[in-house]
Amino acid sequence: MRSIPVFDSIAAFREWRRDMLRQNKTVGFVPTMGALHEGHLGLVKTAKQECDAVVVSIFVNPAQFAPHEDLDQYPRTFDSDYASLVESKACSAILLPKISEMYPAGITLDRNQQRGAFVEVQGLSHQMEGIPRPHFFRGVATVVTKLFNIVQPERAYFGQKDAQQCVVIRAMIRDLLLPITMRAIPTAREADGMALSSRNRYLTPEMRKISTLLYKAITAAKEKVQNGASSRDEILEPAYKVIQQVKDEVQAQGAPFEIRLDYLSLVDVATLAEVETLEKDQAAVLSGAVYVGTTRLIDNVLINTNEL
């Protein structure tokens, strides 16, 4: 079995990167928090098709978690992640940085107590996911900038499941004048439409059976657009109905968990501003978040565009 070099030292990784530069090899980069699934591996394989070498980072970033969120419980599965990357035959190096190197000034989950340099993308971080998680995109933008500085890739690959993240990072690359081409790859899904996510492993079999509700909801809303609807209320109405119906069924069955809608959103792709009236051919994102028990699921579908 082939082995993949694993770098937990930034200095050691930079030696490897300099060697790639000497060989005039292009580098593609897939940043992850580990707990890899077929969606991640699809990004790695796409990167390999377009680049000479592919770097995968595995780093559970504390700066994007709030004190009440699941940092300690977030799955850490390096052995199986490594085996999956070996099997993919597409990964050239794994970056496994230490928190102490990534945050030299230290890091606390309390944003008011954080010290050091952070990156914020204004105007695109406060909507959608940024409403319930106002700390989130500051943490994402900061860690991705740090990883870009370490890896210095020609291309970087992200999944469209995290739609707002794709828009934020694309804007960050543009505004910070980073010499990186970003690729947003369509969401990988199970056969029943469920978006692949590392957090899906938190779901019990009973929860998993009904966890397609969000995908069904936003798909129903997209169908409304395809049938000519343009007003926000008219578009989102079937989505709310789908979620309420499943919520009522779960409650009636006396299930040991609850369904709770966090939000549904219809935004313009470029500005992430909520759309009240969808214009003809206007590119938009239909997205949402829902709790199944304590597991928070997110998903989205695109309207009048194929890529973020």
Side-chain angles (χ1 to χ4, degrees):
M1 179 184 294
R2 69 182 286 268
S3 62
I4 303 172
V6 179
F7 299 96
D8 64 0
S9 157
I10 293 174
F13 175 83
R14 282 176 166 157
E15 284 291 333
W16 178 90
R17 183 64 182 92
R18 279 191 285 270
D19 187 51
M20 294 298 103
L21 190 60
R22 284 190 290 267
Q23 296 181 50
N24 201 30
K25 289 187 175 181
T26 57
V27 170
F29 178 43
V30 181
T32 83
M33 293 208 302
L36 303 183
H37 50 66
E38 286 301 319
H40 295 114
L41 298 177
L43 299 180
V44 176
K45 291 172 183 175
T46 299
K48 182 58 177 174
Q49 293 170 0
E50 300 180 358
C51 304
D52 298 320
V54 178
V55 175
V56 175
S57 66
I58 297 176
F59 181 68
V60 181
N61 176 34
Q64 65 196 62
F65 289 82
H68 66 280
E69 293 181 334
D70 60 346
L71 174 62
D72 290 339
Q73 287 74 41
Y74 195 87
R76 292 161 171 84
T77 56
F78 178 76
D79 290 346
S80 61
D81 292 346
Y82 181 85
S84 295
L85 290 171
V86 169
E87 186 177 356
S88 76
K89 300 180 180 178
C91 178
S92 307
I94 298 172
L95 177 61
L96 198 69
K98 302 181 184 75
I99 291 177
S100 59
E101 281 205 281
M102 293 296 287
Y103 293 97
I107 187 69
T108 173
L109 302 191
D110 183 349
R111 178 171 174 171
N112 294 326
Q113 298 298 318
Q114 290 174 350
R115 298 292 181 267
F118 291 84
V119 178
E120 293 192 63
V121 180
Q122 302 287 0
L124 297 173
S125 299
H126 65 279
Q127 312 94 318
M128 301 160 69
E129 287 292 291
I131 296 173
R133 307 181 75 194
H135 58 283
F136 181 69
F137 289 109
R138 177 176 183 262
V140 169
T142 297
V143 79
V144 172
T145 299
K146 290 171 182 274
L147 291 168
F148 281 169
N149 285 337
I150 297 166
V151 177
Q152 298 185 9
E154 278 80 14
R155 289 173 173 257
Y157 297 80
F158 297 85
Q160 286 182 180
K161 182 178 77 70
D162 299 296
Q164 187 174 6
Q165 175 176 277
C166 289
V167 175
V168 166
I169 292 174
R170 193 179 293 281
M172 185 186 77
I173 290 172
R174 176 198 68 204
D175 292 350
L176 296 184
L177 310 179
L178 301 177
I180 297 169
T181 298
M182 179 184 149
R183 294 272 279 111
I185 307 302
T187 302
R189 300 185 180 277
E190 301 278 7
D192 61 1
M194 178 81 168
L196 295 182
S197 170
S198 300
R199 287 189 170 92
N200 289 355
R201 64 188 68 202
Y202 295 159
L203 300 170
T204 67
E206 187 178 6
M207 291 174 175
R208 177 62 184 84
K209 288 178 183 177
I210 56 89
S211 289
T212 56
L213 81 165
L214 182 55
Y215 178 64
K216 290 178 179 177
I218 58 178
T219 299
K222 182 172 182 177
E223 289 175 356
K224 199 78 172 179
V225 173
Q226 293 169 335
N227 290 331
S230 60
S231 77
R232 175 188 181 81
D233 290 344
E234 188 179 3
I235 292 167
L236 293 182
E237 180 185 14
Y240 283 112
K241 283 185 176 179
V242 168
I243 291 170
Q244 187 62 50
Q245 181 179 356
V246 175
K247 183 177 180 178
D248 291 344
E249 290 172 356
V250 166
Q251 190 171 9
Q253 293 166 5
F257 60 90
E258 293 182 345
I259 302 296
R260 179 165 63 88
L261 176 64
D262 195 344
Y263 71 87
L264 288 172
S265 178
L266 174 64
V267 301
D268 180 86
V269 162
T271 66
L272 298 187
E274 294 287 342
V275 173
E276 293 301 326
T277 302
L278 187 69
E279 302 297 334
K280 180 177 172 58
D281 298 327
Q282 181 179 3
V285 183
L286 261 167
S287 67
V290 66
Y291 283 91
V292 178
T294 59
T295 301
R296 187 173 185 271
L297 306 176
I298 66 171
D299 203 352
N300 68 83
V301 291
L302 305 183
I303 296 175
N304 297 325
T305 184
N306 294 318
E307 184 174 336
L308 293 167

